[in-house]
């Protein structure tokens, strides 16, 4: 704080000044969050059918709006929209909910990569996607190999499971 060209140094005043600046940034952030949430909701309504949002559409919205997929999933959940047609084949299909089938592979490198990335015996969805990309195979192929190896996939990027 300046007084007639002099600088007054006070830990209390510094904290107050930082606090005021921080609260302003925080308020701006929350205003931005509300605007972002509204935009996400609008896109969900635009890309959905019968109160259902496909995994593909949710990821498209996340990419278009530059937000995390779990944010899209959270907003969909908050307006009671169901996430459907998981790209891993794990949920959202009728009549059996999941469509992934066991897939056998002779690719030992792929199997090793899956097992090397397990956390507490499970493979995270994001890592499964990364493995599919790295090995240039379909996401459902990776989930099918996991089915064959009796490995569960967890931590859905959209927050569905």
């Amino acid at each position: 704080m300046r007084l007639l060209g002099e600088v007054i140094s006070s830990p209390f005043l510094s904290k107050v000044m930082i606090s005021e600046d921080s609260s302003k940034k925080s308020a701006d952030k929350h205003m931005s969050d509300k605007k972002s949430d509204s935009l996400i909701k609008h896109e969900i309504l635009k890309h959905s059918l019968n109160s259902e949002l496909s995994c593909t559409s949710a990821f498209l919205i996340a990419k278009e709006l530059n937000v995390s997929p779990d944010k899209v999933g959270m907003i969909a959940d908050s307006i009671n929209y169901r996430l459907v047609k998981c790209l891993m084949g794990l949920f959202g299909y009728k009549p059996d909910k999941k469509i992934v089938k066991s897939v056998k592979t002779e690719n030992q490198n792929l199997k090793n990569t899956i097992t090397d990335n397990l956390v507490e015996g499970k493979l995270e969805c994001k890592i499964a996607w990364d493995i599919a990309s790295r090995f240039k195979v379909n996401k459902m192929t990776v989930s099918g190999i996991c089915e064959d190896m009796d490995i569960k996939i967890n931590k859905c990027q959209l927050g569905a499971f």
Side-chain angles (χ1 to χ4, degrees), residues 12-75:
F12 175 74
L13 289 176
S14 296
K15 286 181 185 175
V16 170
M17 291 172 69
I18 289 169
S19 251
E20 288 171 6
D21 289 345
S22 297
S23 67
K24 183 178 180 200
K25 289 178 186 173
S26 181
D28 291 345
K29 176 185 174 287
H30 291 298
M31 186 61 82
S32 168
D33 284 350
K34 286 180 184 178
K35 188 175 180 182
S36 170
D37 290 359
S38 177
L39 212 61
I40 294 168
K41 182 179 174 182
H42 174 76
E43 289 300 311
I44 289 171
L45 296 172
K46 190 166 84 173
H47 286 87
S48 62
L49 181 64
N50 298 327
S51 299
E52 294 180 337
L53 180 67
S54 72
C55 183
T56 301
S57 293
F59 276 90
L60 177 70
I61 292 167
K63 185 176 181 179
E64 284 178 355
L65 299 179
N66 196 30
V67 297
S68 66
D70 70 318
K71 180 77 170 173
V72 176
M74 183 185 73
I75 301 295

Side-chain angles (χ1 to χ4, degrees), residues 86 88-93 97-100 143 147 153 161:
C86 166
M88 301 288 290
L90 300 173
F91 68 86
Y93 293 89
K97 296 191 183 192
K98 75 179 196 173
I99 61 169
V100 65
S143 62
E147 283 284 309
I153 296 174
F161 59 87

Side-chain angles (χ1 to χ4, degrees), residues 41-159:
K41 182 179 174 182
H42 174 76
E43 289 300 311
I44 289 171
L45 296 172
K46 190 166 84 173
H47 286 87
S48 62
L49 181 64
N50 298 327
S51 299
E52 294 180 337
L53 180 67
S54 72
C55 183
T56 301
S57 293
F59 276 90
L60 177 70
I61 292 167
K63 185 176 181 179
E64 284 178 355
L65 299 179
N66 196 30
V67 297
S68 66
D70 70 318
K71 180 77 170 173
V72 176
M74 183 185 73
I75 301 295
D77 191 43
S78 76
I79 59 172
N80 295 315
Y81 272 48
R82 286 187 59 232
L83 295 169
V84 296
K85 297 185 180 171
C86 166
L87 290 168
M88 301 288 290
L90 300 173
F91 68 86
Y93 293 89
K94 294 178 183 171
D96 298 326
K97 296 191 183 192
K98 75 179 196 173
I99 61 169
V100 65
K101 302 290 182 215
S102 181
V103 172
K104 295 207 179 293
T105 184
E106 299 300 318
N107 186 335
Q108 196 58 47
N109 286 335
L110 178 52
K111 286 181 179 179
N112 290 344
T113 300
I114 289 171
T115 55
D116 289 348
N117 283 282
L118 298 179
V119 175
E120 297 179 7
K122 297 178 181 179
L123 185 67
E124 292 182 17
C125 175
K126 171 81 171 100
I127 294 171
W129 280 41
D130 293 344
I131 292 170
S133 178
R134 191 175 336 152
F135 284 87
K136 295 179 177 33
V137 297
N138 188 291
K139 294 170 187 71
M140 211 174 300
T141 299
V142 172
S143 62
I145 293 168
C146 288
E147 283 284 309
D148 185 62
M149 297 171 68
D150 201 28
I151 294 169
K152 299 290 182 201
I153 296 174
N154 68 353
K155 296 191 180 178
C156 170
Q157 296 173 78
L158 299 173

